[in-house]
Amino acid sequence: MFLRNGLKSFLGGVHPADGKSLASGSPVEVLPPPAELVVPMAQHIGKPAKAVVKKGDVVKKGQLIGEASGPVSAAVHAPVSGSVTKVDRIPGIFGRHVEAVFLANDGKEEWHESVHADCPDAAVTPEEARKRIAGAGLVGMGGATFPTSVKLSPPKGKNIEILVINGVECEPYLTSDYRLMIERPDDILKGAEILKAAVGAKRVIIAVEANKPDAFSLLKGKISGREGLEAEMLAVRYPQGGERQLINALTGREVPSGAAGTADTSVLVHNVGTAVAAYEAVTFGIPLIGRVVCVTGEGVNKPSNFLARIGTPISALIEKAGGMKDNASRVILGGPMMGLSMDDLSMPVTKGTSGVLVLEKREVPASGPCINCGRCVRACPAGLIPALLSRVVESGKPELATENNVMDCIECGCCSYVCPARRPMVQHMKLGKLHAAKQKAKQ
Amino acid sequence: MGLEVMITLGLLIGILGIVFGIGLAVASRFFSVYMDPRIETVAGMLPGANCGGCGKAGCANFAEALVHGSAEVGGCSACGAETSKKIASFLGLKAPDAERRAAVLKCNGRSVKNRFEYHGVSDCVAASLVMGGPKACRYGCLGLGTCVRACPFGALEIRDRMPFVNEYRCVACGSCVSACPKRLYDIVPVSKTVHVRCRNLDRGKMVKEACEVGCIACKKCEKACPHDAIHVIDNVARIDYEKCTSCEKCVEGCPSKSISNDGIKVTVRQAREAAGVP
Amino acid sequence: MNALQANVSPHIHSGESIRRIMWWVVAALMPAVVMSGLIFGPRAIFLITLSAAACVATEAVVQRLRGVPVTALDGSAVITGMLLAMCIGTQVPAYMVIAGDIVAIALAKQLFGGLGMNIWNPALVGRAFMQIAFPEEMNTFTYDLNGWIHCNTVDIVSSPTHMEAATVDVLSSATPLQAAHYQSGLDAHVSEIIPDLFFGCVSGSLGETSALALLIGGLILIARGYVNWRMPLSYLASTAVFCMILPGKAGAIHDPLFHLFAGGLMLGAFFMATDMVTTPITNKGIVVFGIGCGLITSLIRMYGGYPEGVCFSILIMNTATPIIERFTRPRVYGSAAARAAGAVKT
């Protein structure tokens, strides 16, 4: 824990111009589902789901079309009612091809019988809640897309004491979590209670950064007088929404280096979007078939927030947001610090698409030599020496990066952001991590 | 300086010498590890490039395995036939009779357009982190030379935007095979001169859009082949080198020119001629 | 629509660049340059400009010879040239300055691979070279009696034999540190000369006499975030402390203000020890570096053969930079927790 301007925060990080005012004023608009949807089977970290439908099958909205295929995997459901036109491979965002189900929307919006949107279940046991969350294919909706059900079952002997509902949204530009907090605070709190019970936590802390004071005071007002619910305003600092940094900011604890989850700190972090999805899944049986996507950036004419179905092409969102400006030439899935560049606008919205960022063309100056200025060292929230790691990878000695803890890098991008020599540090880190993972696999 | 001082000094140095000598003798007796002298000899015969193609940690490690009988001389692809024979006769082992092999790049798309402007580290693995790399063909060579840097024998170079295999230098160690993020290299006997230079698994129409010389899976080669050695599997033609006789019937039959031998490698013969080696 | 651009995250940048940092340092040196012009006359400005130009030219030529992109105008060569000229006296002939510049850029910087690769501060290597190659010229300092500023300190520190020369224009005069080193009796006047030292109207090197001007420039850089405040603070504070507590040779001056404002300490602490390339990257390392510089400077001043130790102290600590970095790494997030949880496999 570290106090910054009297507010809790973590050591390191950066504070870029946040650009949130572009879209923060636009209420979430429901985007009608398109005639044709492409639903990838790999929308989460872990093994891809296995398609259980084939060409010609008729599906209803919310019907299972891909089942979880291992301990770390997530189910996929039909976002609309209609028929399967084909099951084929499409290029994925990481360059690898992934299996996807192509759906023709019949426009009837018929719910599958497992969904009971009209009659909410009042009380659900924690076991049943966990089962329903797994069945609904929930994943972390902040962008990390780790299957929620796995997070809800901590390893034996580890108890979760605090559940953190993450409304930090530290990535510049993005406003989808902010809109959710403003528009659906009650659902977030209901979801938080469900997750709290599901994991047996004693306290819930709702974390919001100081640049969203209205969302904070709204949530703070709603929880006043309620036992076990707290709200904490944090200093504005990127990457505070990262699990490790958030836990450190709130409790001063540190997730052990190399640990798979956060259970060692007795803290569990879930995004506000995940809380809403958990509420819908447990109370109404609605699987994860849509999400709030923020379409923003200087390159788009009318920055907006949409409630879009999974499988909607990105181009439809951009079109609905007024289209791209003439000088726009960068489309990014996610925020500007960690988002992934994309070139194919027919790619679909997935469970982890928190935003579509359209930026203007920029001239990228050639990267220069490292001048050892130390900005990256001071910005690194993981306590690494990015300059050193970048240099050893560049000079073809990735094994030295492994020795210097490259695996603790969270790829937040702070080092590249501050580097005056414009070195592609994150890319070097990724290469170093790839090498380390390869070596580990060899052993 | 007195004589006395000199004598004292001489004595002192003498005593020190004796003490250290005894120490060394004791150490060599009690801390010595027996090392088969053959290991060093064999290691001296090996190419010494430490390419790791044999799966061992380096040439010395492989030599040890050879002497202990846990590896075969043929395990070293970097040894030429002569060296293999020499090592085999030294250790009383069977000389491998495998044919010389070399790496082949299974892509010929040197004029493939870019899908986007790529900015970043000039390396194939690094570029493939961004949407699989900028090339319109998602399966093809990125041309940024990761394999060239990985080759310990200098057998690869970038010529006209693509890597170029010098078969004379290539020892089939496999460094390029594991370095290429697109897995475009195969190790093939040098006598086989016909190769399908495409790994694109997409359907014909998409391939055509991305690359002029990509395999469109038309199966004309299957029909042209008199030896049943070429088959289209997963939308791309593949040659069974066991059956292939390099008769080039399929080359003539291929409408997209993806089965071609032009300009991708120096054959052993060409390279020898160029180097003035008979 | 344009052709799409794509790269690995992040997709935004702080906008900082090496060029901007370097030219800001040049700007921050300007107060000291102006002061040196006021104190030592136009020749001071001439030497500083000449030196900067010679460095840029050397860099361009060597980069062309090396076959690497020519980046001579990125500001770093200009800084080297200015700093080198600022730590020599006015009477040093122009060809010596150019020789120093060539050594600084060609030998100390480009031979190691250019910006970012050098081990030692190029300007200081150039100065050290000149110190050894031209000892006579480097150790005599003159004072322009027709300069715009004239103070009494010159009279105090100058040897009496020169005093009859009041009719000449240029007076050969010892610097305060030389006076403290070679003459006796200066300690009686220390409190009198401190205001002059701070303002800068004493004999000495071109750019290092005015502590005030250097302080202004240094504070600009700290405010801009181009200088890590830990470096000047630890260097200055440790020099003051060590000069106070070390016994020194007979007649040594212990006044901390004298040691802070005299000689090249201010220039060294704000502009040379803060050269990022040749100093540690971590905050802890910077403090260690600063204290090391302070200690060595004090030792040379109090005991050494030279009156001033800033140049050599920084060069010695530059050499120690890799080892300092090795032992002052930041704590890796979660490493302690991992040890506690026993999750780390060694």
Side-chain angles (χ1 to χ4, degrees):
Chain A
M1 204 182 331
F2 171 78
L3 288 183
R4 187 173 265 126
N5 305 329
L7 295 170
K8 286 182 179 178
S9 191
F10 64 99
L11 216 52
V14 294
H15 182 28
D18 74 1
K20 287 191 192 279
S21 59
L22 284 174
S24 61
S26 325
V28 174
E29 204 179 314
V30 177
L31 193 76
E36 172 114 356
L37 291 91
V38 182
V39 187
M41 291 294 113
Q43 302 184 34
H44 49 265
I45 288 180
K47 278 186 85 174
K50 208 169 113 255
V52 293
V53 288
K54 56 185 189 304
K55 185 176 172 178
D57 284 2
V58 174
V59 294
K60 291 203 172 141
K61 188 170 153 189
Q63 185 180 335
L64 185 78
I65 55 173
E67 61 180 19
S69 65
V72 182
S73 185
V76 180
H77 300 80
V80 292
S81 59
S83 57
V84 177
T85 51
K86 63 176 169 175
V87 179
D88 203 358
R89 295 174 329 129
I90 59 163
I93 188 82
F94 295 110
R96 242 171 264 128
H97 287 69
V98 295
E99 195 176 37
V101 171
F102 288 65
L103 290 173
N105 183 5
D106 63 6
K108 292 184 193 148
E109 296 283 300
E110 279 177 299
W111 282 108
H112 189 247
E113 62 264 22
S114 61
V115 181
H116 41 94
D118 306 327
C119 50
D121 283 343
V124 177
T125 63
E127 293 76 49
E128 178 64 16
R130 283 203 296 268
K131 223 176 94 188
R132 289 190 190 180
I133 285 170
L138 256 62
V139 302
M141 293 178 72
T145 67
F146 194 78
T148 305
S149 57
V150 182
K151 272 173 100 171
L152 288 178
S153 338
K156 277 213 178 73
K158 306 262 163 80
N159 287 320
I160 299 300
E161 176 198 333
I162 305 172
L163 170 71
V164 176
I165 297 297
N166 185 351
V168 171
E169 199 162 52
C170 58
E171 274 272 9
Y173 291 95
L174 301 189
T175 57
S176 40
D177 290 351
Y178 167 74
R179 288 313 308 179
L180 213 53
M181 289 190 280
I182 292 285
E183 295 177 26
R184 300 178 71 181
D186 294 311
D187 294 352
I188 291 173
L189 295 178
K190 281 176 196 157
E193 295 279 15
I194 288 168
L195 291 168
K196 180 188 172 196
V199 78
K202 291 181 199 72
R203 295 162 64 195
V204 173
I205 305 177
I206 298 167
V208 184
E209 270 190 359
N211 57 357
K212 298 177 264 294
D214 43 348
F216 175 76
S217 49
L218 186 62
L219 285 161
K220 181 101 183 162
K222 296 256 180 210
I223 62 169
S224 69
R226 286 168 69 174
E227 191 68 17
L229 283 176
E230 303 156 43
E232 182 80 47
M233 174 130 67
L234 298 167
V236 184
R237 197 77 176 169
Y238 176 85
Q240 198 149 244
E243 228 168 40
R244 288 162 181 253
Q245 278 60 47
L246 186 54
I247 289 173
N248 186 242
L250 286 169
T251 67
R253 299 173 199 170
E254 288 192 4
V255 181
S257 157
T262 61
D264 287 296
T265 57
S266 306
V267 184
L268 189 63
V269 182
H270 279 295
N271 181 262
V272 287
T274 316
V276 172
Y279 164 64
E280 290 183 340
V282 173
T283 312
F284 302 104
I286 302 176
L288 185 51
I289 55 167
R291 66 158 299 143
V292 179
V293 184
C294 172
V295 183
T296 183
E298 282 90 9
V300 71
N301 282 315
K302 195 167 69 68
S304 325
N305 298 290
F306 296 116
L307 179 60
R309 297 284 164 85
I310 304 296
T312 310
I314 300 293
S315 54
L317 271 77
I318 294 178
E319 201 175 303
K320 193 76 182 167
M324 280 162 75
K325 290 185 184 162
D326 289 340
N327 58 350
S329 77
R330 288 182 290 153
V331 181
I332 292 139
L333 283 188
M337 294 298 285
M338 284 188 80
L340 295 161
S341 278
M342 61 179 301
D343 72 300
D344 184 355
L345 299 187
S346 65
M347 277 188 165
V349 169
T350 63
K351 294 172 182 175
T353 312
S354 51
V356 175
L357 182 66
V358 185
L359 294 176
E360 294 169 344
K361 190 176 177 67
R362 70 166 176 182
E363 294 312 319
V364 183
S367 71
C370 172
I371 56 165
N372 219 37
C373 68
R375 277 175 177 70
C376 54
V377 180
R378 293 191 285 279
C380 182
L384 307 176
I385 306 182
L388 171 74
L389 297 171
S390 162
R391 248 184 304 196
V392 295
V393 171
E394 189 182 37
S395 56
K397 296 189 182 71
E399 62 280 0
L400 288 178
T402 319
E403 274 172 34
N404 286 291
N405 310 75
V406 73
M407 286 314 267
D408 284 305
C409 169
I410 55 169
E411 299 176 25
C412 64
C414 291
C415 48
S416 297
Y417 176 79
V418 295
C419 181
R422 303 242 178 191
R423 292 173 63 75
M425 304 258 225
V426 173
Q427 202 166 15
H428 285 143
M429 302 293 151
K430 287 186 179 194
L431 288 175
K433 286 171 88 172
L434 269 181
H435 177 86
K438 229 182 185 176
Q439 291 304 113
K440 210 175 169 191
K442 243 189 216 173
Q443 282 165 13
Chain B
M1 193 189 288
L3 188 69
E4 208 175 308
V5 179
M6 289 175 75
I7 292 170
T8 322
L9 273 178
L11 274 176
L12 203 65
I13 289 168
I15 291 166
L16 273 178
I18 292 166
V19 169
F20 286 136
I22 292 171
L24 280 173
V26 171
S28 78
R29 181 152 177 86
F30 287 97
F31 300 112
S32 75
V33 179
Y34 174 74
M35 176 108 154
D36 194 325
R38 292 179 301 167
I39 295 176
E40 213 169 305
T41 318
V42 174
M45 292 177 182
L46 289 168
N50 296 321
C51 66
C54 55
K56 296 283 186 276
C59 290
N61 197 218
F62 181 66
E64 208 179 321
L66 276 179
V67 171
H68 294 152
S70 59
E72 281 178 35
V73 183
C76 175
S77 52
C79 303
E82 238 167 82
T83 315
S84 299
K85 228 181 272 168
K86 238 165 70 188
I87 295 173
S89 70
F90 177 72
L91 292 174
L93 297 170
K94 193 165 70 71
D97 48 14
E99 201 202 325
R100 185 191 174 105
R101 297 182 305 157
V104 173
L105 181 71
K106 298 282 175 103
C107 176
N108 202 12
R110 51 170 39 79
S111 48
V112 173
K113 290 197 177 57
N114 282 353
R115 304 200 313 278
F116 55 86
E117 248 180 73
Y118 166 70
H119 297 284
V121 180
S122 183
D123 174 271
C124 304
V125 181
S128 65
L129 292 172
V130 185
M131 294 287 292
K135 292 284 178 199
C137 171
R138 291 167 193 269
Y139 300 87
C141 176
L142 296 167
L144 297 173
T146 298
C147 51
V148 176
R149 290 186 287 279
C151 180
F153 297 94
L156 295 171
E157 61 179 299
I158 296 285
R159 269 197 210 172
D160 190 18
R161 292 161 283 163
M162 291 253 288
F164 196 85
V165 182
N166 184 332
E167 277 195 357
Y168 183 56
R169 287 193 179 157
C170 179
V171 297
C173 68
S175 297
C176 50
V177 177
S178 50
C180 178
K182 301 286 184 185
R183 298 263 171 259
L184 288 172
Y185 280 102
D186 267 354
I187 303 290
V188 174
V190 290
S191 64
K192 307 292 178 188
T193 56
V194 177
H195 307 284
V196 180
R197 300 209 192 276
C198 181
R199 276 277 165 85
N200 193 320
L201 304 180
D202 285 337
R203 280 185 234 291
K205 200 174 143 242
M206 284 172 74
V207 176
K208 262 280 171 254
E209 279 167 16
C211 175
E212 290 170 356
V213 292
C215 172
I216 53 170
C218 66
K219 303 201 175 184
K220 282 199 176 127
C221 49
E222 277 189 15
K223 291 181 194 101
C225 182
H227 308 285
D228 190 35
I230 188 163
H231 294 282
V232 172
I233 306 164
D234 267 352
N235 288 325
V236 70
R238 292 158 205 252
I239 292 176
D240 180 350
Y241 289 110
E242 296 277 301
K243 294 178 183 167
C244 177
T245 61
S246 305
C247 69
E248 303 199 356
K249 287 275 188 327
C250 53
V251 179
E252 293 152 28
C254 180
S256 61
K257 303 261 181 291
S258 50
I259 312 176
S260 124
N261 301 317
D262 300 335
I264 197 101
K265 66 172 185 179
V266 183
T267 62
V268 174
R269 196 169 52 78
Q270 286 165 342
R272 280 202 175 148
E273 277 166 12
V277 184
Chain C
M1 202 178 76
N2 298 306
L4 288 179
Q5 296 177 305
N7 56 335
V8 167
S9 60
H11 307 279
I12 50 175
H13 191 265
S14 58
E16 203 56 83
S17 70
I18 291 179
R19 200 174 268 259
R20 195 202 284 186
I21 295 175
M22 295 298 174
W23 286 106
W24 263 100
V25 176
V26 173
L29 278 168
M30 281 305 156
V33 171
V34 170
M35 278 308 280
S36 80
L38 291 177
I39 298 164
F40 299 105
R43 184 170 165 80
I45 309 287
F46 164 71
L47 281 181
I48 292 172
T49 317
L50 173 81
S51 177
C55 278
V56 171
T58 311
E59 177 130 302
V61 168
V62 179
Q63 282 184 327
R64 177 67 61 80
L65 290 177
R66 284 178 59 211
V68 296
V70 176
T71 56
L73 281 177
D74 67 1
S76 62
V78 174
I79 296 174
T80 300
M82 288 175 74
L83 288 177
L84 180 61
M86 288 169 90
C87 53
I88 58 173
T90 35
Q91 78 304 325
V92 177
Y95 76 88
M96 288 185 191
V97 180
I98 293 174
D101 288 332
I102 292 174
V103 168
I105 294 292
L107 195 76
K109 187 177 171 191
Q110 289 297 333
L111 215 61
F112 285 88
L115 182 66
M117 305 293 174
N118 48 311
I119 300 171
W120 296 285
N121 186 321
L124 288 177
V125 173
R127 188 191 182 276
F129 161 77
M130 290 169 77
Q131 180 96 52
I132 293 158
F134 319 113
E136 180 122 353
E137 290 82 352
M138 286 295 286
N139 289 330
T140 25
F141 294 91
T142 54
Y143 192 84
D144 186 354
L145 291 176
N146 291 339
W148 288 287
I149 298 172
H150 184 68
C151 306
N152 295 329
T153 307
V154 175
D155 308 334
I156 295 170
V157 300
S158 298
S159 47
T161 51
H162 285 109
M163 288 315 289
E164 81 251 19
T167 48
V168 297
D169 290 345
V170 175
L171 178 70
S172 185
S173 160
T175 68
L177 278 176
Q178 281 176 331
H181 194 79
Y182 298 116
Q183 300 164 14
S184 55
L186 184 68
D187 44 343
H189 300 284
V190 161
S191 54
E192 287 171 49
I193 65 169
I194 281 177
D196 286 351
L197 279 174
F198 182 68
F199 200 56
C201 41
V202 292
S203 179
S205 298
L206 293 180
E208 61 187 32
T209 56
S210 175
L212 173 67
L214 293 164
L215 206 57
I216 293 171
L219 290 178
I220 290 174
L221 291 183
I222 289 175
R224 294 280 317 173
Y226 295 151
V227 155
N228 192 327
W229 55 269
R230 293 167 185 86
M231 180 65 86
L233 185 71
S234 60
Y235 191 178
L236 295 175
S238 61
T239 307
V241 169
F242 284 126
C243 283
M244 262 196 319
I245 59 174
L246 287 172
K249 290 195 277 207
I253 295 172
H254 293 285
D255 189 322
L257 287 179
F258 174 81
H259 282 287
L260 283 181
F261 299 147
L265 183 61
M266 282 285 165
L267 185 67
F270 282 105
F271 292 95
M272 289 177 174
T274 55
D275 169 36
M276 298 167 282
V277 174
T278 54
T279 55
I281 197 165
T282 58
N283 284 342
K284 270 186 276 179
I286 282 172
V287 173
V288 172
F289 187 97
I291 293 173
C293 284
L295 177 64
I296 297 171
T297 303
S298 312
L299 284 174
I300 294 175
R301 282 189 181 181
M302 306 306 275
Y303 297 102
Y306 284 116
E308 173 61 308
V310 169
C311 169
F312 286 107
S313 73
I314 296 176
L315 285 175
I316 290 168
M317 291 310 287
N318 281 165
T319 316
T321 293
I323 198 133
I324 294 175
E325 280 185 348
R326 204 183 169 86
F327 290 106
T328 56
R329 286 158 175 271
R331 201 179 57 80
V332 175
Y333 176 99
S335 55
R339 269 196 296 280
V344 164
K345 293 168 206 82
T346 44

